[in-house]
Amino acid sequence: MTRTALRQPAARLGRSLLPSSSPSQTQRASTQPSAPSPRLPGAAAQQRRWHSDFSSVNPNEVAHFTALAADWWSPHGSSRLLHLMNPLRHDFIRVCLASTDEPPPSATTTEDKKLRYLDIGCGGGIFAESAARLPTTAHVTAIDPTPSVLAVARAHAKRDPALRGKLEYRQTSIEGLEVPERPYDVVSLFEVIEHVDDPGAFLDRVRPFVRPGGWLVMSTIARTWVSWFTTNLIAEDILRIVPPGTHDWNKYINEDELRGFLAGKGWGAPKVMGVVYVPGLGWKEVRGSEKVGNYFFAVRRDEE
C-alpha cells in the first residue's frame, strides 16, 4: 500500500471528525435521507408486505459476499472472525432476555413458549444454525438476498437432520418478506446494518417483524479513527484476516446515531456491549469500547 493510499482515507477521517461539525453533519451523505424516514402506519392499516421503491439490498455488497461464499464455513477462512464472534452473539441475547419481566425459556418450556427468530442478512448461516440448535428455540427464519451464499447455508444445514423443521432459509430482503401474523421474539441484524445504504429507513421496515415485548439485536462498528485503523487498515489491508473491501468506513454507525434512528418509534430498554478482538483469544467484552469499534446493540419493542 502506498503512502498516498493511506493518506486519502486518513484525510476523510479528519474531515469527518472535526470538532466543529454539528450532529447533523456526522450523518453520512450516503445514509442520510433527504427527509425523515417514514413512520410506520397503524396496525389496522399496515400492509402485509412493504411496497416502495426503497431497497436495503446494495448490488455491490451482494457481489462482494458472493465471492466469499465458498469458504464461509471454514473456521480459518474469510469468515473466521464471525465464527469467533458467534458465542458472544448468544451471550448478548441471553442478557437481553434475562432483563425482561418474563423469564427466558428453558429447555423444558412448551413448544409454543419457545423463541422464534428472524435472522436478517444470515449469510452462510453461522448464527442461524447455532440458534436453531438451542433447545429453547422453536424456529429460525433466515433471509439473505445472495443466492450463492444461501446455497452454502442450505447445503451445510442438510448435514444435520436435527435442523429439519427448525431452520428455514429464504432468498429475499426485508422488503420482500411478509409480516407474519405472529411476529418474531428475536430479530437479529449481525454485521448487517453497516452494509445498508439507508439504515434509518431499513430499521423502520424491520420493526413490524418484532413482536411487542420482543427484541431487535444487532452488531456493528462505530465510525472512529480507531475503527478505521483496526478494521480497514490492519484487518483488511495489512493482515488480510478480513477480505479487502468488506467494510466501508463511511457506512459505520455510532451508537448515538443508532439511538437517533430508533428514538420515538416504539422502542425501549436499549442495551449496548462493546467488544474487542484479541489475537489468540478471540472476541472479548470491553466496557466502553462501543465508542471506538465493534459493539452489540439491542432494543425491546414497546408493548402495545
Side-chain angles (χ1 to χ4, degrees), residues 107-267:
T108 58
T109 301
T110 58
E111 197 67 21
D112 63 329
K113 296 292 186 181
K114 291 184 179 181
L115 298 174
R116 298 170 65 254
Y117 289 80
L118 172 62
D119 187 26
I120 300 173
C122 63
I126 295 172
F127 173 74
E129 271 202 24
S130 60
R133 289 194 178 93
L134 295 175
T136 57
T137 297
H139 190 266
V140 176
T141 300
I143 68 171
D144 199 284
T146 312
S148 58
V149 171
L150 273 187
V152 170
R154 288 171 173 146
H156 194 272
K158 286 182 179 179
R159 301 178 184 180
D160 186 355
L163 295 175
R164 293 175 185 169
K166 290 192 70 177
L167 174 59
E168 176 188 7
Y169 287 111
R170 298 186 190 179
Q171 183 188 332
T172 186
S173 64
I174 194 65
E175 296 80 35
L177 191 66
E178 290 186 358
V179 179
E181 292 183 6
R182 179 187 170 195
Y184 299 91
D185 302 292
V186 178
V187 174
S188 55
L189 300 170
F190 291 129
E191 308 302 310
V192 167
I193 198 166
E194 69 270 21
H195 299 287
V196 174
D197 291 333
D198 189 340
F202 174 64
L203 290 170
D204 282 348
R205 282 155 175 78
V206 169
R207 184 179 180 273
F209 292 87
V210 184
R211 70 164 176 85
W215 286 91
L216 172 63
V217 296
M218 63 190 93
S219 57
T220 190
I221 311 172
R223 194 177 65 262
T224 65
W225 278 97
V226 174
S227 66
W228 174 80
F229 181 78
T230 57
T231 63
N232 295 88
L233 178 60
I234 300 298
E236 292 190 20
D237 297 331
I238 297 179
L239 297 182
R240 299 297 176 101
I241 58 176
V242 175
T246 296
H247 297 113
D248 178 353
W249 178 87
N250 294 287
K251 295 169 77 172
Y252 289 0
I253 300 176
N254 295 329
E255 180 195 352
D256 62 329
E257 293 172 330
L258 266 184
R259 291 176 182 264
F261 291 138
L262 299 165
K265 296 184 178 180
W267 299 103

Side-chain angles (χ1 to χ4, degrees), residues 34-94:
S34 59
S37 300
R39 296 298 297 271
L40 292 171
Q46 180 179 302
Q47 296 182 350
R48 305 300 295 170
R49 189 189 298 265
W50 281 95
H51 295 278
S52 74
D53 295 332
F54 173 84
S55 173
S56 60
V57 180
N58 183 312
N60 293 329
E61 300 282 1
V62 171
H64 176 79
F65 287 103
T66 295
L68 305 181
D71 72 341
W72 201 283
W73 278 97
S74 170
H76 304 292
S78 59
S79 299
R80 177 172 177 265
L81 294 186
L82 298 182
H83 285 275
L84 294 174
M85 182 181 279
N86 203 47
L88 278 182
R89 295 168 170 175
H90 289 287
D91 289 344
F92 185 64
I93 290 174
R94 281 192 289 269

